[in-house]
Each structure stands twice: as structure tokens, then as C-alpha cells.
Amino acid sequence: MAGRRSAGILLFRRAGGGVQVLLGHMGGPFWQRKDAGAWSVPKGEYGPDEAPVAAARREFQEELGLPVPEAELLELGAARQPGGKVVTVWAAEGDLDPRDVVPGTFEMEWPRGSGRMQQFPEIDRAAWLGMDEARDKLVAGQRVFLERLAELLGP
């Protein structure tokens, strides 16, 4: 488990006098009936031979089925998650329609112990959320990226 790393891109836009971020609700049976703490920055794991920023771009495309909008990437740094994984995130100002998202899939045994493999979407929906709502919905270990984005953007 030690040494696992993920990278992602937190897309944001200025709307309605504030900032909104694009988050994805995690797919699969474990997250199906959860909302608070069940949303994530589009991100994914990468190996030692891939640059983190390249992995962040790749994972955005894999999870959402859309390319990262053309924008300057603003480094939000890294944060160790409760499970030990280190997540590195960049922010990018841009816009996309969540209805256009075509999520990638993953395969897992479900129900657990059944021997039956099923495919599930990486995210089952994406949405633009204001910063306060995003804090409530984002998994706890990633909330630091919202704080860093707010600091970066200023008042």
C-alpha cells in the first residue's frame, strides 16, 4: 500500500458571484446511497514512470470522458489521504457541461465473495458545486484542495 500516488485536476469556474468546482460522485455499489463525503476531484493512480501532471490530465479524460479544457494549471500541491495514498492536484479554470460526461468504468467482484465480476462507472454523475456545498460533499482527505484553491483565488 505504501507509495500509492494519485493525481487530478480540480476544474473551477466563476459563476453567480462566487466560485464553483466540478466534482464527480464516486461510482460503484459502496457509494451508491451516500452523498456527503462521497464526491471526489477527478483523479487516479499513476506509476513511477509517469509525470504527475500527465497522469492528472489522463485521469481527468478517463474519468469524465472529456479532455481538460485549455487553461493554465495552478498547482494545489499534495496531501496524504487517510489511507496513506498521496494525492496531487492542479486547478484549472474552465467550463464543461456535466451532461456531456461519459465516465470510464472499473471492474470488481460484486457482490463481494460471489465470484461474479461486474463493471461500474468510475463516477456516476458530475456536478458544479459552490465551495460550501463542495466542502460537505467532498471526501474529507481532499477538502484541503478547496482551501488551497480559495487561498489562491483570494477574496
Side-chain angles (χ1 to χ4, degrees):
M1 286 292 235
R4 290 178 40 213
R5 302 174 299 166
S6 284
I9 294 177
L10 178 60
L11 195 63
F12 72 94
R13 68 182 184 184
R14 298 164 206 264
V19 173
Q20 295 179 331
V21 294
L22 183 76
L23 299 179
H25 183 269
M26 292 184 274
F30 178 76
W31 301 102
Q32 189 174 11
R33 290 183 172 80
K34 297 178 177 51
D35 191 53
W39 293 68
S40 177
V41 171
K43 60 161 189 50
E45 291 190 15
Y46 65 97
D49 295 336
E50 186 175 18
V53 71
R57 287 182 178 281
R58 175 181 53 74
E59 287 292 336
F60 186 96
Q61 173 109 28
E62 285 180 12
E63 289 209 354
L64 301 178
L66 301 169
V68 178
E70 288 295 321
E72 176 185 3
L73 294 182
L74 309 169
E75 191 169 351
L76 298 179
R80 185 170 302 280
Q81 303 301 287
K85 182 188 298 185
V86 174
V87 176
T88 304
V89 172
W90 286 263
E93 187 168 6
D95 201 1
L96 60 77
D97 188 338
R99 294 174 296 190
D100 294 336
V101 168
V102 180
T105 60
F106 68 96
E107 189 173 73
M108 67 179 274
E109 181 185 25
W110 191 257
R112 195 177 228 168
S114 69
R116 191 170 132 208
M117 299 301 285
Q118 293 190 51
Q119 280 200 342
F120 298 96
E122 299 236 11
I123 63 167
D124 55 26
R125 64 189 178 276
W128 287 103
L129 304 171
M131 295 292 268
D132 290 338
E133 186 179 10
R135 275 184 201 87
D136 292 338
K137 293 186 182 281
L138 198 58
V139 293
Q142 294 178 24
R143 292 178 188 151
V144 65
F145 298 117
L146 294 178
E147 295 166 16
R148 293 175 185 172
L149 177 61
E151 286 174 20
L152 195 64
L153 298 178

